[in-house]
Amino acid sequence: MALQWTSVLSVGIPELDAEHAEMFERMDRLHDAMLAGDRAEVSRTIAFLREDAVRHLAAEDTLMLALGYPERERHLREHEAFLATVRELARRHDANGPTAVLVHDVEQAVATWVEAHVAVHDVALGAFAREHLRRPTTAERKPA
Ligand SMILES: [Fe+2]
Ligand SMILES: [Fe+2]
């Protein structure tokens, strides 16, 4: 399954959008590599998930805390489930190396989760953040 990040998936926060776009690009690269029979790419994907993806989820949590986001617990449960999947995929990678079945499973599990999570949960978080972080308009500003 090839993935493409489009503006429909924008959460309206440039840093998060850039990180989501990179996740999609990584999944696309993994897909191409799999078709080309290149299994080494999955090792790079696993390293990316362990570091950058984990940092991304932590940054979202920092934002949720700062906002007092009411859906934080639900959102975090989603992240936790994903992190458990990443840990299991990384464990299999470390135990058995970049097997064909691992490449397939990474692509399936990660691409499916990322696309669904961003489209629903991160977009909702983005909308809330924009509403609460936006600067007051001139009309709303109290005279000094
Ligand atoms: Fe995200
Ligand atoms: Fe998220």
Side-chain angles (χ1 to χ4, degrees):
M1 173 177 55
L3 271 188
Q4 187 111 47
W5 187 89
T6 69
S7 58
V8 174
L9 294 169
S10 173
V11 303
I13 299 172
E15 295 81 10
L16 295 184
D17 280 343
E19 288 165 8
H20 291 151
E22 188 183 357
M23 281 194 207
F24 279 57
E25 216 177 280
R26 291 266 178 178
M27 287 305 117
D28 203 40
R29 203 180 303 162
L30 181 64
H31 184 78
D32 288 347
M34 183 176 71
L35 293 180
D38 166 19
R39 289 195 220 153
E41 182 62 28
V42 78
S43 301
R44 289 188 280 275
T45 309
I46 294 279
F48 167 79
L49 291 170
R50 273 177 161 149
E51 292 170 25
D52 301 58
V54 165
R55 203 177 314 125
H56 168 78
L57 299 185
E60 281 187 7
D61 189 30
T62 301
L63 175 65
M64 289 192 277
L65 273 174
L67 290 167
Y69 186 50
E71 293 294 318
R72 176 172 174 255
E73 294 226 339
R74 213 162 81 108
H75 199 128
L76 281 188
R77 277 202 297 277
E78 284 256 331
H79 285 185
E80 271 310 317
F82 180 66
L83 289 171
T85 302
V86 167
R87 278 193 297 271
E88 173 59 14
L89 293 167
R91 188 196 61 74
R92 284 172 52 195
H93 175 268
D94 292 349
N96 307 314
T99 62
V101 76
L102 178 72
V103 176
H104 173 267
D105 290 353
V106 169
E107 215 215 334
Q108 284 295 308
V110 176
T112 305
W113 187 87
V114 167
E115 191 171 34
H117 179 80
V118 172
V120 176
H121 298 278
D122 289 350
V123 164
L125 170 60
F128 186 89
R130 286 200 306 284
E131 182 62 26
H132 290 78
L133 294 174
R134 79 193 165 93
R135 299 215 169 84
T137 61
T138 312
E140 288 168 340
R141 249 179 244 136
K142 301 237 161 69

